[in-house]
Amino acid sequence: MQRHDPDGIILLCDFCRREWDGQEAMMEGHLGSIICLACLKTALPNQITTLEKFKCTLCQRFNIPGSLRYWPSPQDPETFVCHDCLMQAAGTFSKNPDVDWTWDRTTGK
């Protein structure tokens, strides 16, 4: 998410609305969507299963087949991240030597 400011464009996490300070780890999805590492850490163990239709904010897909688990934003009831995007972001953050966090896909921790 972006916000225009007199000093330029401010990047924000789509899920918690925290501004990116250039130091905190954030992952960009399609069309400039962003999830921060703090939200990812919260989302991974708190996914819910649904039969309702939703659109993932990061990948822009509707009801990803075989992956109807998701995490809704605590700040915006219309903002969701799908299980597939959470897994991809977790793997990418975990492999980044500049990010002090690891995640094991087999254990989910």
Side-chain angles (χ1 to χ4, degrees):
M1 168 177 276
Q2 297 179 357
R3 183 181 77 226
H4 293 278
D5 195 68
D7 295 328
I9 296 174
I10 307 297
L11 301 176
L12 307 165
C13 173
D14 284 86
F15 300 90
C16 67
R17 306 292 195 246
R18 187 175 21 224
E19 292 182 8
W20 184 53
D21 60 6
Q23 301 300 311
E24 183 179 10
M26 291 197 168
M27 183 74 53
E28 185 176 4
H30 293 288
L31 303 175
S33 58
I34 296 172
I35 188 168
C36 69
L37 182 57
C39 283
L40 177 72
K41 289 178 183 179
T42 301
L44 285 168
N46 293 301
Q47 296 177 70
I48 58 177
T49 302
T50 185
L51 297 176
E52 301 294 319
K53 189 173 186 175
F54 72 92
K55 181 179 181 181
C56 177
T57 301
L58 293 180
C59 69
Q60 302 293 304
R61 293 183 292 171
F62 285 97
N63 285 357
I64 295 88
S67 180
L68 297 179
R69 291 186 294 163
Y70 74 102
W71 182 67
S73 164
Q75 299 293 324
D76 180 359
E78 300 297 315
T79 303
F80 307 99
V81 60
C82 72
H83 176 75
D84 292 347
C85 285
L86 289 174
M87 296 299 103
Q88 184 174 7
T92 301
F93 277 130
S94 188
K95 292 175 189 171
N96 186 334
D98 296 329
V99 175
D100 185 24
W101 181 72
T102 56
W103 177 78
D104 183 345
R105 185 179 191 125
T106 58
T107 64
K109 297 178 182 179

